[in-house]
Amino acid sequence: MIDIAASADLSTEDLVQGVMDWISIESPSLDADAVNRMVDHVESEFAVVGLEIERTPGEDGWGDLIRGRAPGSARANKGILVVSHIDTVHPIGTKESGNPIRIEGDNLFGPGTYDMKAGAYIAYYAYKRLLEEGGEPILPVTFMYIPEEERGSPYSRKYIAEEARKAKYVLVTEPARDGGKVVIERKGSARYKIAAEGRPAHSGSKHEYGRSAIKEIAKHICEIESWTDYDRGITFNAGLVSGGTGVNVVPQHCLLEVDNRFERLEDGQKFEERILGLEPYDPDLQLTVTGSIMRPPMNINNAILDLFQKARVFSMEHGLDLQYTSRTGGGSDGNLTAAEGVPTLDGLGADGYGAHQLDEHIYISSLEPRARTWMKLFERLD
């Protein structure tokens, strides 16, 4: 058997140009039209390599979800599922003024380069080059590109779980961490909204009549933040607060949005019950709490370690000493696929720095070695 992935000529120039083409199409999660322009581009890329395209219209204002299947994959045995997201956190215009697309030495800057359009493109490029060199994967390959991962994949999660159950392996193109390391375990995450409704009043002449929604929420912020326990890997972040109508009005409304991360699912479930059961400090106010666990933890197991070891052996052949990082607090769609019991290897995207920041960039030197690893995973996993 000819080992095509080991000998193929991979062009760093082509990789850089492909990544630049993808990041030039800005696609913030909440702008469905922008995301769909990115989906249009991915659809054209999939067509080039003969993938069978399945485009699912978005729901609840989200962009479309797109899948590309190797011919016959739908009828074949379990294969490789590649999971990527094509939405970013950056607003339209960031590529011009916030983080202009540019190359400085080994660094390629631009919104969404590191998280995670470079990784999404690397996987596609590796598959394309394998076919161009006359090779083919042993297992059928399905690419799945998500439109709202940065918002917790509320629409896509049912499709992610469905595809995961059809897969033998899941490979996730999230960016590498801590100097090029892959990810084999992640914390779980939950999101909650706490809305308080009080009683408005003139803050000068009728202050005693009012019931402050902001004061109520402030008390809950202090309580919820106190639940953080670093030793147990539990964090709470009161990330967004909005409320009030005027400085001279006792505030009638206030909304708090909370992010929770946890290492053990039972901790997440315990705090979900606690936060959903919150009662108002002031009985004259109304408190409404919504939300839930968004992603369960991705926990290390023997199947994931075995998949990692395969990837490491493949990578060592071309001088990439693949390592894995310690459990990360950031969630991904890999949490969802691992929860389905499917061996999942995450963080296979480009190495770089600055996810969600205005200095976000990738290291150009990381593209070719990681693309070659992807080629070997496609060519050899069985």
Side-chain angles (χ1 to χ4, degrees), residues 167-282:
K168 183 171 184 179
Y169 303 109
V170 176
L171 307 176
V172 184
T173 69
E174 288 281 355
R177 302 293 183 96
D178 303 329
K181 296 176 182 177
V182 298
V183 177
I184 61 173
E185 54 181 343
R186 292 181 180 270
K187 286 185 178 182
S189 62
R191 297 281 177 87
Y192 301 99
K193 292 183 179 181
I194 304 171
E197 182 174 357
R199 183 190 302 157
H202 192 290
S203 65
S205 62
K206 290 292 183 181
H207 190 280
E208 70 279 6
Y209 178 80
R211 297 293 183 270
S212 172
I214 290 179
K215 179 181 177 181
E216 176 71 24
I217 288 297
K219 291 181 178 180
H220 286 288
I221 290 174
C222 293
E223 178 184 3
I224 291 168
E225 290 271 7
S226 74
W227 298 344
T228 290
D229 186 334
Y230 295 121
D231 291 338
R232 293 168 59 198
I234 299 167
T235 58
F236 283 88
N237 184 58
L240 290 172
V241 184
S242 59
T245 55
V247 70
N248 60 345
V249 180
V250 176
Q252 180 181 3
H253 300 290
C254 189
L255 177 65
L256 166 65
E257 297 187 47
V258 176
D259 175 273
N260 170 218
R261 306 292 167 124
F262 47 90
E263 292 185 0
R264 290 170 287 275
L265 181 59
E266 54 267 30
D267 287 333
Q269 292 169 331
K270 182 185 77 171
F271 282 108
E272 180 182 62
E273 182 178 355
R274 183 182 295 187
I275 202 166
L276 292 177
L278 286 174
E279 297 287 345
Y281 285 90
D282 186 335

Side-chain angles (χ1 to χ4, degrees), residues 5 14 66 90-91 117 141 173 185 200 242 258 271 307 313 321 339:
D14 288 348
I66 186 166
H90 305 285
K117 287 184 177 177
V141 176
T173 69
E185 54 181 343
S242 59
V258 176
F271 282 108
L307 179 56
V313 169
D321 185 5

